[in-house]
Amino acid sequence: MTKPSTFLVPGEKTSAGTLAIISLSRDNFLPLTLEKSTGAVDGYLEGATLNTRFGSYPHSTLLDVPWGSQVRASNVDTGSRGKKRRRDATDEDTPIASQDDDEDSTAANAPVKKAVTAPSGFIYVLRPTPELWTTSLPHRTQVVYTPDYSYILHRIRARPGTRIIEAGAGSGSFTHASVRAVYNGYPRDAADTKGKVFSFEFNESRYHKMQAEIGEHGLDGLVQLTHRDVYNDGFLVDGKSPKATAVFLDVPAPWEAVHHLSRRKMKKGGEEAEEDSNWVSPLDPKQSVHICTFSPCIEQVDRTVTELRTLGWVDVDMVEISNQKINISRERVGVNFPSEKGYNSSPADVAEAVTKLKSLAERNKDTQRVQGLQSGTEGLDSEMDVDSTPSRDNRPSNGLNGTADDAERPFMQGRLVHRPESDLKTHTSYLVFAVLPCEWSEEDEAAAMAKWPCGNEKKTIGNLDKQARKEEKRKMLEGKAKSKKQKKGNDTQPSQVVVSAMATPTDTA
Amino acid sequence: MSRNTVQPNGWVAIRLPSEVTRVLQVVPNTTISLGKYGSFPSNLLIERPFHLTYEIQDKLEGESFPRLRVVPGKELNADKLADVSATESADADEVIEPANGEELTLVDESGKVVARSTREVIDESARQTLTMAEIDQLKKEGASAGKELIAKLMLSHTAIDQKTAYSLAKYKLLKEKKYMRRFTVLPLDVAMLGHWMLFERDASKVMEMRQEMIGLLGCWADVHFGGLPIDGEQGPHGGRWLAVDDTGGLLVAAMAERMGILHAEPLEAEETAKQVAEEEENPKTQPANDEAEAEAAESLAVSASPKAQRSRPKRPRKDDLDDHYALTNSITLIHANSQPNLSLLRHFDYDYSDPNPPYPYHPLFTNLLPISWLQLLDPESDPTYSEPVPEVESDVLASWKTNRRANYHRKRRRWARTRQIVDATRTGGFSGLAVASTMDPISVLRHALPLLAGGAPVAIYSPTIEPLTQLADCFSIGRRGAWVSNPPAEAEGKTAVELENWPGTTEFPINPALLIGAQVQTSRARRWQVLPGRTHPFMTERGGASGYVFTGWRAIPAEGNITARGKFNRKKPRTG
Ligand SMILES: C[S@@+](CC[C@H](N)C(=O)[O-])C[C@H]1O[C@@H](n2cnc3c(N)ncnc32)[C@H](O)[C@@H]1O
C-alpha cells in the first residue's frame, strides 16, 4: 500500500513527498508538497526552496521536523536564479515551482548546499487538516467552508465507515472534509468495504485537477472520483452501487439529480419509471439515507424541496448557517496614553474629561491674561507659573478601563473587547436536509412480526395519561399493601414512568 | 456504525406530532405508551428500520393490541406539497371532516394563517357565536359538517374586523397535522441526543452546546478515526485525542462517534434474539461476584448446556495487571472530580461506573481513558496511582472469601489501569484537544498544551465569549512579540522543556509561543419553513447561548531569539 495520507495519519514529523501547510502569517496559509532534493533546484543551490516575502526556506529546513515547528528563514544562494527571477517578475508570494531546470543541469549535479540561517524571518509547518486545506486550496470554484461542512457532515451522519456521495467535486474542499469523516482505514483490496467518498464532477479540467490532487494527498482508495453529469447519468460507479447512506449535492440544480437517489427506478417529478430489472439503486437498501443540498438561492430551495417531498423524502428541514469570526483586541482610551497608533487619546471617563477641560480653561485664562498684558491692559496678577498640563499623578485611576502605568506592559493596557471581524460572510447557501427511510414491505413486516410476536406485554413504558397513571398508582398501592416484596421498577429515566405488571393504559383516542 | 434497525432493549427517540421527543429503551414484550397519542406493543418496533412514521390503528377484532401502519413518505408530504394558490380546494361542496386528531388551518390568499383550530376550539368558539340550535345542528352533522361552516366558525373565533368583508373564497381551509396518532422512530445518536438535551431536557447540563458547536469542535480538533494498532508498537501511537468535558459526556460521545467507537458492534441478529429469549426465561441472572467464579460457572454451563456457551462469547482471560487500554484511536478525558460525569453515555449502552461489564465490551471500555487533574499533575498524591496493591500468594487467595477475593482483584486492576492511563497521558504526543468545560480555559490550556504533539489542533467551546476573549488575549500579537523580544525575568535561562511547562504569570498566563492561529468564532443555524409560496425563516427559535469556539494549533517554537520579517516588520520592529 502507498503511504497513508498526512491528512489522516500525519505521523509526528514532516516527510518528503507529502503535503504540509505553511503558516506564513496570520490567516495566510500555503499548501506545499515537501521535496527532498539531491542537488540544486531551479537555481537554488540548497535544493527546492520556498521563497516568500517572509524569507526563503529551503525544503531541507522544513523536512523531518515535528509538525508545528517554527522554522527560521535561510540566506539562500540564488546563483543564476536572482537575475532570472527579476526577469520573470512573478508575484513574490507565489511558491516557486521547483522542477529541475535544464538550464541548471550543471548546478543540479552539485551536492545540495547546506542552508544558512538568516537573521530574521520564520514560518510554521503545520500538518494538513481539511480546515487548513479549505483556507489554502487553489480555488477552481466556490467552495464549502468549515462552518457549513462541519454542520452538514454532522447532520448527514457521515461517520467512520459511511459511504457518501458528493457532487460536484468542485475544488475538493468538501471532499477533504468528508473523507476525514468517513475514514475507517484503507481498504485492503477491492472486496474490502470501508468508508468512502464517491465524488462526481462533470467539468473535465476540474475533474483532472481533482484526480491529481487525490493522488498527491494519498487519498486513492478512499475517494473515488467519476467524470459525470449526474443530472442525466446518476450516481452508479462502473455500473455498481456505491451503497451510500449519505449524500451531499452542491450543484446548481439538485432537483435534476435527486430522482436518481431513490430506492426504485423513478422519473423526475416522482413518477415511477417502467420496470427495469437492470436498474440498481446507488443507495444502501438496508439503511436510512441522509441528504443535504447546498444552494445559494431560495428558488433553488423551493424546487429541491418540492422534488424531495414528491419522491418521498421525509423530515425535510432547511437552515442557513451564519458564522462570525470574532476580533479580540485591547481598546486603549485615555488622555495619558502615548499618542501612537492603536491608542485613542480622548478622555477615558467623565473624571478625565473634567480634568482635561479644567486645565484647558486654566490655559485659556492664562492666554487671555498674557494677551491682556501685551495689549497694555493692566493685569494685577502677574504670576505666570501656572502649570497648564495636567499632571500624570492627578489622573484618576480607572480600574475598569485598565491603567496606563509605565510599569505595565502595553499588551495588558486598556480594556479587552471583541467585535465581529470587518469582512462578514452573511450568506453562503441554504442547506436543505432530508431523510429517505428504507423500504419496508409486508413480507418484511410479517417476518418481524413472527419473530417478535405481540400480545404478551407485561409492563408499560413511556408517558401515561392521567387515567392510566391513577390506575397504576391504585394497583401499586394495592400491591404494596399485599406484599412488601414488590420491588421498585427499573427507573430508566426520571420523566418516564416505568410501572410494573398488568397496566392497561386507557386509550384516549 | 450505528445499527439500522431498532434493537431489543436499544435506545430510540420517538418523535410525536407535537414535535416533542421521547427517549426510551425498547424493552421487548412491553407496552409503549405515548400518552394521549395512544399505546402499542414494543415488539412492533423491534427489528424494524428507523425513520419510519407509524400510525397507531384501532384494535382489530379479536386482537388485544393495536397494530401500526407505516405511513409512506408521499402520504406524509401530501399536505406540504399542496399548493395554496390552487383553487380546487375552494370548492364549496367539498366536505372536510375534522376527524378526531385533525387540525385545520385557515389561510388567506397570501398563505398567511388566519386561524388554526382543533375540533375543541371550533366547539368553543361555536358556543360563543352560535345559537344552541345551530350547535345542535352542527353536532348532528358531525363529521359531515361543511367546510364552509367550519371556516365561518374559525373566522368568528379570530379577531378579524368586518369578517363579512372577507368572502370565504379568499380563504382556504387546510388540513394540517392529520397525524395525531402518528409517531416517528429515530435512532438515538449524538445529533438526536444533543437536540433532545438542548430543546427538551436541560440545556444547562450540556452547557447549551448546539449542533453547530458540536460540528465545529469536532472538525477544528480534527477528531477522526485514529487507526488500528500497529503490530509491534508497545506505546501509545496513532490518533489519540485529549478531552475536557463538562457536558455530562456529550462531548466525549461526539468525539467517539467521529472516531467510530461510540456504538458497540452489533451482535449477530440470531444471537440477540436468543439472548433476549434466555433473559426472559431467567430474568435476573445473578451477577458474578468474582471472575474466577464466573469462569467456573461458565465451564459448568459448558457441560450442562452447549447452547449457553455458544450464545455468550467468552471473556478473554487476562491478568489483573495486564494492559487494559487501547494504544490508539482513544480519548483521554481529564476530569475535575474523582470520577468523571459521563451519565449521557448510558444512552449509548456504556456504563462508565461498571468496572467489570459483560463481554463483549463496549469500545469505550478500552478506548476511553479517564484521568483526574490530580493524577495528571501530581500523580504521587493520588493513592489509586501511587499505592500498588501487593500481590497475594495464590493459596492464600484461595482461602479468602469470594467477596474479599473479588475486591482484591478489582483493586489491583484499578491500580494497573490508573497506572497505564497516567503514564501514557504524561508522555504526551496527543493528536488534538477538544474542550467544553466550565473551568477557566486558560488554566486548562496551560496544562494541556504541553501534552499535545506539534501541529495538533486545539478547539475550546464556551457558551459565553468572555472566557475565550481572555484566552485569546494570552496569545495577542503584542504578548507573543514581547515574550520573544523582551522575555520575563522568570523565563531567563530556562530550557525549552521548562518553558513548555511554564507555570504562568500575570503577564504571561500561558507560554504564548506554544500556540499559533488563535481565533474565536461563533455559528448559528437559522431554520426556515419551506412550503409552496410560504417560505420564510421561522418566527421564533430557542434563545440562549449561540456558543463560541476558540481554535489554534500547538506550535514548537524555535529556540532562542527570533524576529519576523515581512511587512509588519517595518511597522513594529520588535514584535513577531
Ligand atoms: C460550487 S462547485 C462545488 C464545490 C465543492 N463542494 C467544494 O467544496 O469545493 C459545483 C461543482 O459542480 C459541478 N457540476 C455542476 N453540475 C454538475 C452535474 N450535473 N454533474 C456533475 N457535476 C456538476 C461544477 O462543475 C462545479 O465544479
Side-chain angles (χ1 to χ4, degrees):
Chain A
M1 196 186 70
T2 49
K3 214 163 152 185
S5 175
T6 36
F7 278 90
L8 304 166
V9 188
E12 286 164 29
K13 292 182 170 183
T14 58
S15 61
T18 60
L19 183 75
I21 307 284
I22 306 298
S23 165
L24 294 171
S25 65
R26 211 188 143 72
D27 296 329
N28 191 356
F29 298 100
L30 189 82
L32 181 71
T33 300
L34 300 176
E35 290 171 37
K36 192 167 182 71
S37 313
T38 48
V41 172
D42 211 19
Y44 290 106
L45 298 180
E46 290 82 2
T49 295
L50 167 71
N51 194 23
T52 75
R53 70 164 181 274
F54 304 100
S56 297
Y57 302 86
H59 287 207
S60 58
T61 62
L62 305 170
L63 273 171
D64 207 33
V65 297
W67 293 112
S69 289
Q70 186 179 34
V71 176
R72 292 172 194 272
S74 297
N75 285 326
V76 294
D77 191 340
T78 51
S80 62
R81 177 85 204 158
K83 282 167 255 153
K84 245 175 69 191
R85 275 295 283 172
R86 237 153 276 139
R87 266 208 322 270
D88 297 353
T90 38
D91 177 16
E92 55 176 342
D93 272 350
T94 317
I96 287 141
S98 33
Q99 277 102 30
D100 280 70
D101 203 318
D102 281 342
E103 286 175 56
D104 296 312
S105 54
T106 39
N109 293 334
V112 192
K113 190 169 168 266
K114 203 171 154 22
V116 178
T117 305
S120 72
F122 60 82
I123 55 174
Y124 293 90
V125 202
L126 292 174
R127 86 181 197 219
T129 63
E131 290 63 45
L132 283 167
W133 178 246
T134 295
T135 51
S136 62
L137 56 76
H139 274 231
R140 300 183 284 264
T141 59
Q142 284 278 10
V143 308
V144 183
Y145 289 100
T146 308
D148 284 316
Y149 74 60
S150 60
Y151 183 78
I152 294 167
L153 289 166
H154 182 60
R155 290 248 343 225
I156 63 175
R157 273 67 174 180
R159 303 165 186 157
T162 298
R163 312 204 16 121
I164 182 172
I165 284 175
E166 174 210 33
S171 308
S173 168
F174 191 84
T175 318
H176 281 76
S178 51
V179 72
R180 172 182 61 188
V182 305
Y183 170 69
N184 65 342
Y186 282 80
R188 266 172 279 117
D189 48 55
D192 191 14
T193 309
K194 291 273 197 250
K196 192 165 177 174
V197 182
F198 295 88
S199 189
F200 298 85
E201 173 58 59
F202 81 166
N203 177 295
E204 186 156 7
S205 104
R206 278 178 217 147
Y207 162 77
H208 286 299
K209 286 196 176 118
M210 187 63 192
Q211 190 64 62
E213 238 164 51
I214 291 169
E216 283 160 24
H217 295 178
L219 300 174
D220 285 323
L222 303 178
V223 178
Q224 182 152 3
L225 186 65
T226 304
H227 182 209
R228 169 86 51 84
D229 170 3
V230 298
Y231 299 162
N232 290 315
D233 303 321
F235 299 90
L236 298 187
V237 176
D238 303 328
K240 290 204 201 75
S241 171
K243 294 218 164 124
T245 60
V247 180
F248 177 67
L249 297 182
D250 182 4
V251 288
W255 61 89
E256 298 281 353
V258 281
H259 65 284
H260 295 294
L261 299 162
S262 52
R263 304 280 182 194
R264 46 186 71 213
K265 194 174 178 189
M266 291 276 193
K267 283 193 201 146
K268 225 192 113 206
E271 247 176 88
E272 209 153 309
E274 66 289 349
E275 203 63 34
D276 178 357
S277 56
N278 292 326
W279 190 83
V280 189
S281 167
L283 310 177
D284 184 336
K286 289 194 164 161
Q287 296 207 51
S288 303
V289 175
H290 292 260
I291 195 173
C292 173
T293 70
F294 194 72
S295 310
C297 305
I298 207 79
E299 289 75 13
Q300 293 168 300
V301 169
D302 274 332
R303 299 185 71 168
T304 306
V305 167
T306 300
E307 181 72 0
L308 285 170
R309 284 188 174 137
T310 310
L311 291 165
W313 291 74
V314 296
D315 278 355
V316 174
D317 189 30
M318 195 269 261
V319 306
E320 181 190 8
I321 300 284
S322 117
N323 179 268
Q324 282 181 358
K325 284 184 189 163
I326 311 285
N327 187 308
I328 293 160
S329 59
R330 291 219 168 226
E331 204 159 73
R332 288 164 290 201
V333 180
V335 213
N336 299 295
F337 279 113
S339 53
E340 261 178 44
K341 195 178 172 281
Y343 294 84
N344 181 342
S345 59
S346 50
D349 55 20
V350 173
E352 267 195 24
V354 170
T355 316
K356 189 177 173 186
L357 287 169
K358 262 191 195 157
S359 75
L360 275 177
E362 207 70 36
R363 207 186 312 172
N364 267 350
K365 240 193 268 167
D366 290 347
T367 324
Q368 274 166 16
R369 202 180 48 214
V370 173
Q371 281 170 346
L373 278 174
Q374 281 167 348
S375 63
T377 323
E378 210 53 48
L380 293 172
D381 199 333
S382 61
E383 286 137 297
M384 294 287 290
D385 56 349
V386 184
D387 183 7
S388 60
T389 11
S391 154
R392 265 216 127 137
D393 312 319
N394 293 343
R395 195 173 50 81
S397 83
N398 179 353
L400 233 191
N401 197 27
T403 54
D405 282 344
D406 287 335
E408 203 176 61
R409 308 268 218 145
F411 56 77
M412 296 174 75
Q413 292 169 358
R415 178 189 283 162
L416 190 58
V417 294
H418 66 91
R419 56 168 72 80
E421 277 189 359
S422 45
D423 44 341
L424 261 188
K425 265 207 192 68
T426 45
H427 179 66
T428 54
S429 273
Y430 296 110
L431 282 54
V432 173
F433 293 97
V435 177
L436 189 66
C438 31
E439 294 200 315
W440 191 244
S441 67
E442 275 173 27
E443 298 83 75
D444 294 331
E445 178 57 30
M449 191 73 181
K451 194 163 163 197
W452 297 97
C454 301
N456 305 315
E457 290 71 41
K458 292 179 191 119
K459 294 182 185 175
T460 297
I461 46 178
N463 263 29
L464 302 177
D465 58 33
K466 247 189 230 157
Q467 241 175 320
R469 199 166 297 158
K470 262 189 212 152
E471 177 77 355
E472 278 311 317
K473 207 166 177 187
R474 196 179 55 77
K475 285 213 169 118
M476 272 236 286
L477 290 175
E478 241 170 49
K480 251 187 207 153
K482 270 187 214 144
S483 99
K484 296 207 165 150
K485 264 187 272 164
Q486 185 145 7
K487 276 186 190 150
K488 236 184 105 186
N490 220 22
D491 208 8
T492 54
Q493 194 191 307
S495 77
Q496 285 169 17
V497 201
V498 178
V499 270
S500 52
M502 265 65 81
T504 348
T506 337
D507 206 326
T508 48
Chain B
M1 274 273 81
S2 63
R3 298 164 211 196
N4 55 318
T5 57
V6 177
Q7 296 299 302
N9 296 307
W11 288 94
V12 299
I14 292 187
R15 198 178 52 220
L16 303 175
S18 56
E19 296 284 306
V20 166
T21 320
R22 291 270 145 76
V23 168
L24 46 87
Q25 246 174 324
V26 183
V27 180
N29 295 318
T30 55
T31 296
I32 294 179
S33 163
L34 302 177
K36 66 172 176 176
Y37 301 107
S39 50
F40 57 89
S42 61
N43 286 14
L44 287 177
L45 299 187
I46 296 173
E47 291 191 19
R48 271 63 158 200
F50 284 110
H51 295 105
L52 294 183
T53 297
Y54 298 95
E55 202 163 66
I56 305 177
Q57 305 203 285
D58 293 332
K59 278 179 199 156
L60 293 179
E61 216 159 301
E63 280 192 346
S64 60
F65 58 91
R67 293 196 179 234
L68 302 176
R69 178 178 79 93
V70 177
V71 188
K74 283 186 191 170
E75 188 181 330
L76 286 173
N77 292 337
D79 291 347
K80 289 171 187 139
L81 284 167
D83 186 347
V84 285
S85 64
T87 47
E88 43 187 287
S89 60
D91 258 343
D93 298 336
E94 200 186 313
V95 165
I96 291 201
E97 296 178 25
N100 193 8
E102 189 171 283
E103 210 173 275
L104 296 167
T105 308
L106 192 64
V107 296
D108 67 13
E109 274 175 320
S110 68
K112 198 176 144 243
V113 174
V114 175
R116 198 186 289 275
S117 191
T118 56
R119 180 64 171 275
E120 291 86 322
V121 180
I122 293 177
D123 286 352
E124 195 185 298
S125 68
R127 223 159 283 138
Q128 287 162 13
T129 52
L130 299 178
T131 65
M132 270 320 282
E134 280 170 321
I135 292 172
D136 279 345
Q137 176 64 22
L138 179 65
K139 277 187 182 153
K140 231 179 273 159
E141 282 175 29
S144 65
K147 160 182 116 163
E148 212 170 307
L149 180 55
I150 294 166
K152 229 178 244 165
L153 288 170
M154 285 172 74
L155 269 181
S156 71
H157 186 58
T158 61
I160 303 173
D161 284 333
Q162 302 159 314
K163 279 164 207 135
T164 46
Y166 290 79
S167 105
L168 264 183
K170 279 191 183 165
Y171 295 91
K172 265 139 223 149
L173 204 51
L174 294 185
K175 248 194 272 191
E176 222 182 51
K177 304 195 179 171
K178 199 214 162 162
Y179 44 48
M180 281 297 258
R181 306 209 351 125
R182 286 180 186 172
F183 64 92
T184 309
V185 182
L186 303 165
L188 191 62
D189 52 18
V190 170
M192 187 68 237
L193 185 72
H195 175 92
W196 181 65
M197 286 303 292
L198 195 62
F199 289 88
E200 300 182 40
R201 297 290 294 184
D202 188 349
S204 68
K205 287 236 165 70
V206 293
M207 294 178 71
E208 298 184 66
M209 191 158 66
R210 295 169 180 266
Q211 305 300 314
E212 300 89 300
M213 296 293 121
I214 293 178
L216 281 177
L217 265 186
C219 282
W220 281 102
D222 192 31
V223 184
H224 63 271
F225 172 66
L228 295 171
I230 298 168
D231 275 345
E233 287 271 3
Q234 300 292 307
H237 60 278
R240 300 152 63 224
W241 277 264
L242 204 53
V244 184
D245 181 0
D246 286 329
T247 62
L250 186 60
L251 174 65
V252 166
M255 294 172 76
E257 195 171 62
R258 298 180 65 98
M259 296 163 71
I261 52 175
L262 182 60
H263 302 281
E265 283 300 312
L267 287 175
E268 285 300 308
E270 273 173 36
E271 275 181 10
T272 342
K274 220 180 276 170
Q275 203 165 309
V276 171
E278 263 169 44
E279 271 162 29
E280 288 283 291
E281 285 162 30
N282 188 6
K284 204 76 208 159
T285 330
Q286 238 354 83
N289 288 327
D290 183 355
E291 217 153 299
E293 208 171 63
E295 263 156 50
E298 242 170 67
S299 54
L300 259 181
V302 172
S303 50
S305 133
K307 181 177 136 239
Q309 194 209 18
R310 232 185 301 123
S311 64
R312 247 173 245 276
K314 213 173 148 99
R315 180 198 302 270
R317 210 201 167 108
K318 267 192 169 184
D319 187 84
D320 287 345
L321 303 191
D322 279 353
D323 275 357
H324 171 74
Y325 291 105
L327 297 176
T328 182
N329 201 33
S330 63
I331 303 172
T332 298
L333 173 70
I334 319 180
H335 54 91
N337 299 311
S338 52
Q339 298 290 320
N341 173 6
L342 294 169
S343 53
L344 289 179
L345 292 183
R346 74 198 179 93
H347 295 298
F348 306 105
D349 303 313
Y350 180 59
D351 177 5
Y352 167 72
S353 58
D354 185 355
N356 203 12
Y359 194 78
Y361 303 131
H362 190 284
L364 288 176
F365 184 53
T366 47
N367 293 49
L368 174 62
L369 290 69
I371 179 172
S372 76
W373 285 104
L374 178 66
Q375 287 167 342
L376 173 66
L377 299 175
D378 186 7
E380 293 306 327
S381 319
D382 181 68
T384 354
Y385 174 85
S386 57
E387 289 164 21
V389 183
E391 193 173 352
V392 172
E393 293 294 328
S394 57
D395 48 338
V396 180
L397 201 57
S399 71
W400 284 2
K401 282 223 178 75
T402 321
N403 273 349
R404 189 171 172 202
R405 231 183 315 149
N407 212 16
Y408 164 80
H409 286 298
R410 193 175 47 79
K411 277 197 174 154
R412 269 173 75 83
R413 273 197 300 265
R414 191 155 82 119
W415 176 81
R417 286 177 193 178
T418 308
R419 206 87 195 164
Q420 199 197 345
I421 294 175
V422 172
D423 295 348
T425 308
R426 286 167 61 95
T427 318
F430 286 93
S431 321
L433 167 71
V435 178
S437 173
T438 48
M439 295 202 300
D440 176 15
I442 297 176
S443 71
V444 170
L445 210 48
R446 185 186 299 140
H447 298 294
L449 263 183
L451 299 175
L452 300 181
V458 168
I460 302 178
Y461 164 78
S462 170
T464 54
I465 196 169
E466 289 77 7
L468 301 186
T469 58
Q470 282 166 12
L471 180 63
D473 189 46
C474 296
F475 302 100
S476 67
I477 294 178
R479 214 179 291 252
R480 294 165 58 82
W483 173 264
V484 175
S485 62
N486 188 6
E490 298 93 323
E492 211 72 31
K494 291 257 161 68
T495 65
V497 175
E498 284 168 330
L499 289 177
E500 282 204 342
N501 294 295
W502 176 249
T505 60
T506 325
E507 285 187 343
F508 298 99
I510 306 182
N511 174 349
L514 295 185
L515 184 121
I516 60 161
Q519 188 190 64
V520 174
Q521 61 182 309
T522 179
S523 249
R524 183 93 180 225
R526 176 168 212 198
R527 287 189 68 208
W528 287 59
Q529 161 187 304
V530 186
L531 288 172
R534 287 172 288 155
T535 295
H536 59 74
F538 279 104
M539 311 278 182
T540 55
E541 269 187 73
R542 185 185 179 276
S546 290
Y548 299 85
V549 176
F550 169 97
T551 60
W553 294 274
R554 166 76 152 95
I556 310 283
E559 285 186 44
N561 200 348
I562 189 158
T563 37
R565 201 192 300 183
K567 61 173 198 279
F568 48 67
N569 200 20
R570 286 187 289 275
K571 263 193 244 156
K572 298 177 196 161
R574 306 211 62 188
T575 54

